[in-house]
Amino acid sequence: MDENKALTPFRIDIPQADVDDLRGRLARARRPVPVPGRDDRADFSRGIPPVYLKELAEYWRDGFDWREQEARLNEYDQFTTVVDGQRFHVVHVRSTNPRATPLLLNHGWPGSFVEYQRLIPLLADEFHVVVPSPPGFGFSTPLSGTGWELARTTEAYAEIMTRLGYARFGAHGTDIGSGTAGRLAALYPERVIGTHIGSDPRLLGFLGEKFPYPEGLSEEETALVEAVRAEDAADRGYLFMQEHRPDTIGAALTDSPVGQLAWIAEKFRPRNGGAHRTPDETVDRDQLLTNISLYWFTRSGESSAQFYYESAHSGIDLAMASDVPSGWAVFDARPVMRRAVDPWKAIGHWSEFTEGGHFPAMEATELLAGDIRAFFRDIS
């Protein structure tokens, strides 16, 4: 039997009982006994500071208005469609410009389509914007089964663009989304007009593993790379857990909103040592909590972790070579980034910004929008 290819209109409407349950769980949260000396709300050396987590959880319970944020998300057209047996949730904002370029925005973990909420209006005059949620993320749940990894997801995204009538399109991605964007270009060069990647110094942590360690670096450059690698290695606890024991951590994330809050909010802490010292001083607090609420209400803390397990055990490389034009925007840029990542200067469009970080659509929205627009104008 042929698969139903319908695009079914979708509107977010979380039951009030679920909203009340969240507030009740936050009110009854069982907290750890504080360790003496752990009273600095910006000290993330051992994970998210308990004093900061308590402050954020109390605001989530008493100050955050889910219904207001839900209404804002519903300002964008959305639909669901089934591909290869899996339900996908997609935000689709058509431009009023008849010559607009279709643009697929790819996100990773612990992001969601909420990540692009403030970017979309800055692109809509030049692009038809499409934001799919990967399988197991947000409303692309529940999972239809095992086996949903990077390659299978990429094929599903191509099919979604076909169903929307977009024969040719551009792609932007960060985190896991940089993998799906790059793979689309490698597999469908006749369809993808260009890929734009948002990156930050965390990429240096994969040198010598997923990417070759660069040759000819100076002592100063090597020291900078190793400092980032050391910081990244200390931050990989979540990665190993989700790649190897998603069911174990998933049980805690699904039952405890404070646990889900800690698991995600920590990843938004700033890395550049600038004036902003906590996650909600780096990104908007309500947008951060909207993203986390989405994980909570859809129980996708567990199912999104499965994506890491599947990808880690698939044997598929994150990166694939392609002749499609590519552009990179590096945020919180360090002097060694291009020499380390692109020593041959094969990437045609390369931009570096001191602002922003791993979530540029939330941290440096206007800079990212401007760079996406500039890249696609250059290759059109």
Side-chain angles (χ1 to χ4, degrees):
M1 180 182 296
D2 291 338
E3 186 169 73
N4 182 356
K5 298 183 179 182
L7 307 181
T8 304
F10 181 85
R11 183 175 177 82
I12 305 169
D13 186 14
I14 299 299
Q16 186 60 41
D18 289 356
V19 178
D20 294 340
D21 176 69
L22 169 60
R23 289 192 178 129
R25 287 171 182 261
L26 290 169
R28 297 187 303 272
R30 186 168 181 255
R31 303 184 186 281
V33 177
V35 177
R38 287 288 288 149
D39 55 1
D40 183 349
R41 66 190 295 275
D43 178 9
F44 282 77
S45 60
R46 301 187 185 200
I48 192 165
V51 64
Y52 172 69
L53 179 61
K54 181 175 183 289
E55 170 191 315
L56 200 57
E58 289 176 349
Y59 177 78
W60 196 14
R61 181 189 69 207
D62 299 327
F64 176 74
D65 186 343
W66 166 255
R67 292 303 181 200
E68 178 184 350
Q69 301 305 320
E70 183 181 70
R72 290 181 179 179
L73 295 177
N74 279 329
E75 291 174 1
Y76 296 127
D77 289 338
Q78 303 161 62
F79 66 86
T80 60
T81 192
V82 177
V83 183
D84 194 12
Q86 173 65 43
R87 184 176 86 154
F88 282 84
H89 170 262
V90 184
V91 173
H92 182 214
V93 180
R94 289 189 183 274
S95 174
T96 57
N97 179 359
R99 301 180 63 186
T101 299
L103 177 63
L104 182 69
L105 299 181
N106 300 257
H107 71 78
W109 184 91
S112 67
F113 66 93
V114 174
E115 191 175 334
Y116 291 120
Q117 179 182 6
R118 300 183 179 192
L119 181 68
I120 292 171
L122 303 182
L123 299 177
D125 61 336
E126 293 189 31
F127 300 95
H128 302 302
V129 180
V130 181
V131 191
S133 294
F137 286 67
F139 295 108
S140 289
T141 53
L143 282 170
S144 60
T146 58
W148 278 103
E149 29 75 310
L150 190 71
R152 194 175 175 190
T153 300
T154 301
E155 297 287 353
Y157 283 4
E159 172 62 20
I160 289 169
M161 296 304 278
T162 298
R163 293 183 187 183
L164 287 170
Y166 297 139
R168 298 265 291 162
F169 57 91
H172 161 79
T174 59
D175 195 77
I176 293 170
S178 65
T180 51
R183 196 171 187 88
L184 280 165
L187 297 178
Y188 300 97
E190 74 285 358
R191 297 190 65 186
V192 179
I193 63 175
T195 58
H196 184 275
I197 304 300
S199 186
D200 73 311
R202 296 188 201 191
L203 184 66
L204 299 178
F206 291 101
L207 295 179
E209 296 179 18
K210 297 183 183 298
F211 305 99
Y213 199 100
E215 299 179 355
L217 297 182
S218 67
E219 289 186 10
E220 182 179 359
E221 290 172 328
T222 300
L224 193 155
V225 169
E226 290 306 312
V228 173
R229 279 165 53 87
E231 181 182 15
D232 186 70
D235 192 41
R236 289 196 185 186
Y238 83 93
L239 183 64
F240 293 134
M241 180 63 82
Q242 296 193 158
E243 285 184 340
H244 301 287
R245 296 294 184 269
D247 288 345
T248 302
I249 188 60
L253 299 179
T254 306
D255 192 59
S256 169
V258 175
Q260 180 70 89
L261 177 66
W263 195 247
I264 290 182
E266 181 203 34
K267 308 306 180 291
F268 283 83
R269 76 188 189 279
R271 295 293 192 98
N272 58 14
H276 300 309
R277 302 196 63 203
T278 58
D280 63 331
E281 292 170 327
T282 303
V283 301
D284 178 80
R285 177 181 282 195
D286 282 341
Q287 190 180 16
L288 173 63
L289 289 174
T290 301
N291 180 64
I292 295 170
S293 297
L294 182 67
Y295 275 83
W296 175 257
F297 288 133
T298 61
R299 304 190 187 194
S300 52
E302 192 274 343
S303 53
S304 63
Q306 300 292 340
F307 193 98
Y308 278 77
Y309 180 91
E310 300 290 357
S311 294
H313 292 81
S314 68
I316 296 169
D317 291 332
L318 177 65
M320 290 184 70
S322 168
D323 292 329
V324 170
S326 62
W328 280 53
V330 181
F331 297 85
D332 184 20
R334 310 298 168 85
V336 72
M337 282 292 292
R338 188 159 198 184
R339 269 180 52 76
V341 176
D342 183 31
W344 309 278
K345 296 188 176 179
I347 299 170
H349 175 101
W350 182 278
S351 302
E352 295 188 358
F353 304 98
T354 57
E355 300 91 336
H358 195 67
F359 304 92
M362 296 172 70
E363 297 169 294
T365 314
E366 292 189 1
L367 289 177
L368 177 60
D371 204 73
I372 290 174
R373 291 158 70 109
F375 168 68
F376 283 101
R377 283 174 182 171
D378 288 344
I379 65 173
S380 62

